[in-house]
Amino acid sequence: MTGNQIEALVGMLATFGLLVLMILPSVIGIVRDRRIDRRIREAREDGETRTRYGKETRSTQKSSDRSTVPSTATWYAEGRRSKKLVNS
C-alpha cells in the first residue's frame, strides 16, 4: 500500500466512525421506545384479560371527578387581567 492509499483508508475509517457516533444515540432511542411500547401493549392486554374474566373491575374517571383548582397559569392570567382593568 502506498501512502496515499493508507491516508484514504484512515480518512474513510474516521468518517465511518463519526457516522456511527452520530447514528448510535438515535438507534438506542428507537430500540428503547420499542421495548417500552411492547411493555405497555402487554400490560394493556393483561388488563383486558383480567377484566374479561371478572377478576378485576376498573372504574372510569368522570370529568366531574377532576380537580377544579385552577392552575398557576390561570391564577397568573387572572391577576394580570384584573390589573389591566384597574389601570384602564
Side-chain angles (χ1 to χ4, degrees):
M1 287 183 108
T2 65
N4 287 340
Q5 290 174 333
I6 292 174
E7 189 177 329
L9 180 63
V10 169
M12 284 192 306
L13 289 175
T15 304
F16 181 71
L18 288 173
L19 180 67
V20 167
L21 285 175
M22 291 174 60
I23 292 176
L24 189 63
S26 62
V27 170
I28 291 171
I30 290 169
V31 170
R32 182 175 175 264
D33 285 347
R34 287 183 183 236
R35 185 177 65 226
I36 291 170
D37 290 343
R38 186 179 67 236
R39 287 181 182 174
I40 291 172
R41 196 175 323 111
E42 289 172 357
R44 276 194 191 139
E45 290 172 358
D46 186 41
E48 289 174 3
T49 304
R50 286 185 194 170
T51 306
R52 281 187 203 149
Y53 295 110
K55 294 181 182 177
E56 180 181 315
T57 57
R58 293 187 213 173
S59 62
T60 56
Q61 183 179 10
K62 298 178 183 176
S63 61
S64 60
D65 294 341
R66 293 185 185 157
S67 173
T68 56
V69 177
S71 68
T72 304
T74 305
W75 172 80
Y76 179 75
E78 288 295 327
R80 298 281 293 169
R81 283 190 211 120
S82 64
K83 287 179 184 176
K84 286 182 180 178
L85 293 175
V86 171
N87 291 337
S88 297

